Amino acid sequence: MEGGVDEVKALLDSMLENNKVYVKEKTDEDPTYFSEMFKVHKPKILMITCVDSRVLPHEMTETGPNVILMFRNIANVINPGDISLMSVLNFAIEMLNVKHIIVLGHSCCQSVITATQLEYHGVIDNYLFTVKNVYQSHKKELDEIQDVERRFVALMEINVKEQVSTLVRMPLVQKAWAEGKDLQVHGWFLDVESGRMRDLNTSMDRNTKIDNIFHFKFSA
């Protein structure tokens, strides 16, 4: 963050002041806004998206509280070894009984771009190994795209599709489907420059055919 200590302190102070304004505006409009929100937490959607601060799903979809349960990580990656993500999936599917999971990727994703580079960046290189594998799997079609920016966007979109494909193979999702839950998984993409989101038409549900090796036997 640019600026000196005083400038940063002023920014933090303004954030707290803005919160006071926000609370007043909400309670002036509806005195029970926060007290009602306090009573129940029953979101219908789990969204898995990137940590990029330009990605603002609630604001960009004009979605209020108690609709979207948000999980963020670097490059919206579905990693079975990510205990935090797996715990959120467990919470969302089995405790909150969400009906939809959306993997939301976005343009100009620096994490995805970083995954294509050969330079060593540190621990993040281990985390982005999944994205490197996505690139390797689609290298031929990606390398045919001459425009570098278009190639990056294509990789970012493909990454979303691959993460959706990985997600539906997770035991938690397979268990939900085996139990007959109406859980759907979708892949969306945000164009940061225009602010527009679009469906990548990768939706899957319990009728989606996947390889038998990912069909677990769950006890009744």
Side-chain angles (χ1 to χ4, degrees):
M1 181 183 294
E2 297 182 356
V5 174
D6 291 341
E7 184 178 341
V8 175
K9 176 65 165 57
L11 173 60
L12 297 179
D13 289 343
S14 71
M15 290 170 64
L16 291 174
E17 288 303 314
N18 289 341
N19 172 253
K20 294 177 183 177
V21 173
Y22 167 79
V23 170
K24 185 177 186 307
E25 288 177 348
K26 288 296 184 183
T27 52
D28 283 350
E29 181 180 331
D30 178 5
T32 66
Y33 182 81
F34 291 104
S35 59
E36 288 300 314
M37 184 169 61
F38 171 79
K39 293 177 181 178
V40 63
H41 180 226
K42 196 67 175 175
K44 305 170 182 64
I45 300 164
L46 167 63
M47 181 173 284
I48 301 168
T49 192
C50 186
V51 295
D52 194 303
S53 62
R54 299 165 295 180
V55 180
L56 306 168
H58 289 95
E59 180 178 333
M60 291 176 168
T61 60
E62 294 192 340
T63 305
N66 224 6
V67 177
I68 301 175
L69 178 69
M70 192 71 62
F71 180 86
R72 291 179 182 266
N73 64 19
I74 296 174
N76 38 269
V77 165
I78 307 300
N79 185 338
D82 185 343
I83 189 65
S84 180
L85 172 57
M86 294 301 113
S87 297
V88 169
L89 280 174
N90 193 168
F91 178 56
I93 295 173
E94 299 197 349
M95 299 179 69
L96 297 178
N97 196 30
V98 299
K99 300 300 183 185
H100 299 271
I101 302 175
I102 300 171
V103 178
L104 174 67
H106 67 97
S107 62
C108 53
C109 181
Q110 189 58 47
S111 301
V112 172
I113 295 173
T114 298
T116 68
Q117 298 171 346
L118 300 180
E119 292 83 3
Y120 173 72
H121 301 92
V123 175
I124 192 174
D125 291 320
N126 297 319
Y127 191 87
L128 291 176
F129 206 80
T130 299
V131 183
K132 284 184 178 288
N133 283 334
V134 170
Y135 176 81
Q136 186 65 33
S137 297
H138 297 269
K139 188 176 186 303
K140 185 177 184 299
E141 63 183 280
L142 287 167
D143 287 352
E144 289 175 354
I145 302 174
Q146 298 301 311
D147 183 87
V148 175
E149 293 302 319
R150 285 184 53 231
R151 188 188 309 143
F152 281 143
V153 171
L155 175 57
M156 293 163 195
E157 292 180 352
I158 290 171
N159 182 53
V160 172
K161 296 176 182 178
E162 290 288 350
Q163 302 314 316
V164 169
S165 181
T166 299
L167 180 55
V168 299
R169 289 164 169 75
M170 293 293 97
L172 282 165
V173 175
Q174 286 296 307
K175 182 173 181 289
W177 285 348
E179 293 171 348
K181 291 185 177 180
D182 293 323
L183 176 66
Q184 297 182 25
V185 182
H186 316 273
W188 287 11
F189 194 79
L190 166 66
D191 178 71
V192 173
E193 188 174 9
S194 69
R196 295 187 178 274
M197 293 181 185
R198 53 190 170 84
D199 191 336
L200 294 179
N201 298 314
T202 58
S203 297
M204 301 185 190
D205 58 26
R206 64 187 184 191
N207 296 314
T208 300
K209 303 297 182 184
I210 68 170
D211 196 287
N212 283 335
I213 193 65
F214 297 105
H215 283 283
F216 296 86
K217 293 183 178 179
F218 301 99
S219 57

